[in-house]
Amino acid sequence: MKVIQVRHGGGEYPVYVGQGLLGMTSVIERHLSGRILLVSDPNVARLYLDRLRPSLKNFQNKRRLILPDGEQHKTVESWQRIIDELVALKAQRDATVLALGGGVIGDMAGFAAACYMRGIRVVQMPTTLLAQVDASVGGKTGVNHARGKNLIGAFHAPNAVIVDLDTLSTLDERDYRAGLAEVVKYGAIRDSGFFAWLEAHAEGLNARIPQTLEEAVFQSVRNKAEVVAADEKESGQRALLNFGHTFGHALETATSYEVWRHGEAVAIGMVLATRLSEFLGRVEAGTCDRLVDLLRRLHLPTALPQDQDPDQLLRLMRLDKKNRADQIRLILLDAIGKASVVPCPADDIREVLNP
Ligand code: NAD
Ligand code: GLY
C-alpha cells in the first residue's frame, strides 16, 4: 500500500492506494467517527458492500443508502435523499459519510457531507478508475442542474480517500478506458516522465496488470495532489486539469451525454487542443502524433466523428466556465509535460474542428 498526503486550506488528508483495502479494517476504522452513513449504487453495493462489513461492525449507529446508478441521478433529489438519511440516523457533527462508488456517488455524497450541519466528515472509497485518479481527490463535490453539469456544489475536502485497486477488475471496458484518458492527461500537462512511462507500459495498462495499475494510479494521484495543494479553489493552475475538457464537454453536450463516456470525449478534446497548439506554433511538430499514438494504443478515440457540426461545438465551447470577456480560454500544450491557459480566437479553434 502507498500513501499520499494531500494538503488543503483546512489541513491534510491521506489517499491510500493499494490492493485489498476495502477489507483492511485497521485502515478504514481510523477514519470513521460518530454515526455512519454509507452511500453507494446498486452495481457497486452488490459487488463490494460485503467486503466493508467487518470494518463497520464496531459502529452501532449506521445506515446505508443505495441510490440509483447513473449521471441522470446526480441531482438535487438524490442529494436530498442523503440528507434525509442523515436526519433519520440522527447524525451529529462527528458523523461520517462513507462514499463507495464512482464519481457520481462520490460527488453527491461529498456534497451532502458539505451541507449537512454545515459540514461533516466524508471518506471517499472510489471504485472506478476515473474516480480513483480524479474525482475523489481535491474536494470538488456537487450535483447537476437540469441546465448544466455540476452547476450546484461546494469545495469540501474528504477526511481520507481509500483506493482499492481490486475494484478495477470488475469495471466495464469502456469505463476503464475512459479513466485512462485522465491518467494520460496528467502526463501531458505536467509530467513528461510519467507520459514516457505510460508509453512504455500501455500493454500492461490494457491487461490491467496490478503493479502497472498501482503505479499509474499512484502517479496520477500524486500529480493531482500537487495541483490541488497549490491551488485548491481553482484560481490558477488547477484549471490546467481541464486539458481537453472544453472540447470534450462541448462534444458530450452536443451528443446529449448519450454517445461518449466523459473520458472518451476528453481523449478527443486533448488531441484537438494539441493540434491547435501545433497550429499556433506553441509546441514542437509531431507532439500531436505522439499523443494520438498513445491514446490509440489504449484504445481511446482520437478524432471527431465526420458528421459533427463544428459551429455547434464552437457555440457550446463559448459556454465554458473558464471563458472571460467572451473569449474562449483553452488549455494548450507548450510541450509534453507543460501546459498553459490561452485565450483563443474562434477562427483558430475552427481550424481544428473542421474535418
Ligand atoms: P459513475 O460513478 O457513473 O460510474 C460508472 C459506472 O460504473 C456506474 O454504472 C457504476 O455503477 C459502475 N461501477 C462503479 N464502480 C464499479 C466497479 N468497481 N465495478 C463495476 N462497475 C462499477 O461514473 P464515473 O466515471 O466514476 O464518474 C463520473 C462522475 O464523476 C461525473 O459526474 C463527473 O462530473 C464526476 N467527476 C468529478 C470530479 C471531481 O473533481 N469531483 C472529477 C472528475 C469527474
Ligand atoms: N477534475 C478537475 C478538478 O478536480 O479540478
Side-chain angles (χ1 to χ4, degrees):
M1 174 177 78
K2 293 179 171 168
V3 188
I4 299 158
Q5 286 296 130
V6 183
R7 281 182 293 107
H8 64 100
E12 59 180 342
Y13 55 90
V15 181
Y16 302 92
V17 178
Q19 290 169 263
L21 296 192
L22 287 184
M24 234 176 248
T25 300
S26 60
V27 172
I28 296 170
E29 266 188 351
R30 76 176 77 134
H31 295 291
L32 305 182
S33 72
R35 298 176 182 221
I36 312 290
L37 177 65
L38 183 137
V39 184
S40 194
D41 76 26
N43 303 329
V44 178
R46 182 176 48 79
L47 290 163
Y48 297 111
L49 207 54
D50 278 348
R51 297 194 191 181
L52 271 181
R53 281 187 213 286
S55 300
L56 302 181
K57 74 174 187 314
N58 291 330
F59 294 84
Q60 297 308 315
N61 293 301
K62 56 187 179 249
R63 287 173 81 99
R64 68 168 183 223
L65 174 64
I66 309 300
L67 291 167
D69 154 49
E71 186 73 32
Q72 71 276 24
H73 297 291
K74 191 177 157 184
T75 57
V76 172
E77 288 71 31
S78 298
W79 168 88
Q80 175 76 56
R81 288 186 60 192
I82 306 176
I83 299 289
D84 290 347
E85 285 296 320
L86 285 165
V87 173
L89 180 63
K90 297 189 173 63
Q92 296 166 329
R93 274 263 164 80
D94 61 348
T96 311
V97 175
L98 204 48
L100 176 70
V104 167
I105 289 296
D107 278 12
M108 290 195 297
F111 185 43
C115 299
Y116 184 75
M117 292 191 172
R118 299 197 182 87
I120 60 170
R121 300 164 60 81
V122 59
V123 173
Q124 296 283 354
M125 294 186 153
T127 60
T128 63
L129 183 57
L130 181 130
Q132 294 183 352
V133 299
D134 191 356
S136 64
V137 179
K140 281 188 182 176
T141 71
V143 295
N144 300 330
H145 183 274
R147 299 288 292 274
K149 213 168 127 79
N150 296 329
L151 281 190
I152 308 158
F155 285 98
H156 185 62
N159 293 82
V161 181
I162 299 171
V163 174
D164 186 340
L165 298 163
D166 290 347
T167 59
L168 299 179
S169 64
T170 52
L171 201 57
D172 157 91
E173 193 63 19
R174 276 186 78 186
D175 283 315
Y176 175 68
R177 298 198 179 288
L180 286 178
E182 302 283 358
V183 172
V184 170
K185 176 188 78 179
Y186 293 115
I189 61 168
R190 71 188 309 276
D191 191 340
S192 58
F194 183 41
F195 192 93
W197 183 90
L198 291 169
E199 291 177 311
H201 292 85
E203 278 63 44
L205 289 168
N206 287 334
R208 305 192 200 189
I209 292 173
Q211 294 80 354
T212 312
L213 266 179
E214 178 165 320
E215 182 64 9
V217 173
F218 176 77
Q219 294 301 341
S220 300
V221 172
R222 180 186 58 75
N223 272 291
K224 175 127 193 201
E226 287 173 8
V227 173
V228 299
D231 178 23
E232 189 182 4
K233 302 276 170 73
E234 198 165 319
S235 49
Q237 67 160 287
R238 188 163 180 170
L240 300 181
L241 297 176
N242 286 310
F243 177 52
H245 284 57
T246 309
F247 288 106
H249 282 152
L251 184 57
E252 283 181 278
T253 311
T255 50
S256 309
Y257 295 90
E258 281 166 4
V259 177
W260 303 101
R261 295 284 201 279
H262 173 68
E264 294 171 335
V266 167
I268 295 171
M270 292 194 292
V271 172
L272 295 174
T274 309
R275 187 160 299 137
L276 183 56
S277 309
E278 272 192 31
F279 173 75
L280 296 173
R282 297 184 64 88
V283 78
E284 204 175 283
T287 307
C288 192
D289 286 347
R290 195 175 158 197
L291 176 68
V292 167
D293 181 57
L294 175 57
L295 293 171
R296 280 201 186 132
R297 289 173 61 207
L298 297 172
H299 307 290
L300 280 157
T302 56
L304 286 172
Q306 289 290 324
D307 58 357
Q308 191 65 57
D309 174 9
D311 290 324
Q312 184 194 19
L313 289 183
L314 206 48
R315 267 196 308 280
L316 291 166
M317 289 173 75
R318 288 186 200 283
L319 302 176
D320 188 77
K321 288 200 278 285
K322 286 186 301 303
N323 298 342
R324 299 283 180 278
D326 277 350
Q327 255 207 321
I328 298 175
R329 300 198 325 154
L330 296 175
I331 313 305
L332 298 185
L333 289 192
D334 305 314
I336 291 288
K338 191 169 184 313
S340 308
V341 184
V342 183
C344 292
D347 284 347
D348 288 347
I349 297 174
R350 213 183 288 277
E351 285 292 328
V352 299
L353 289 178
N354 284 321

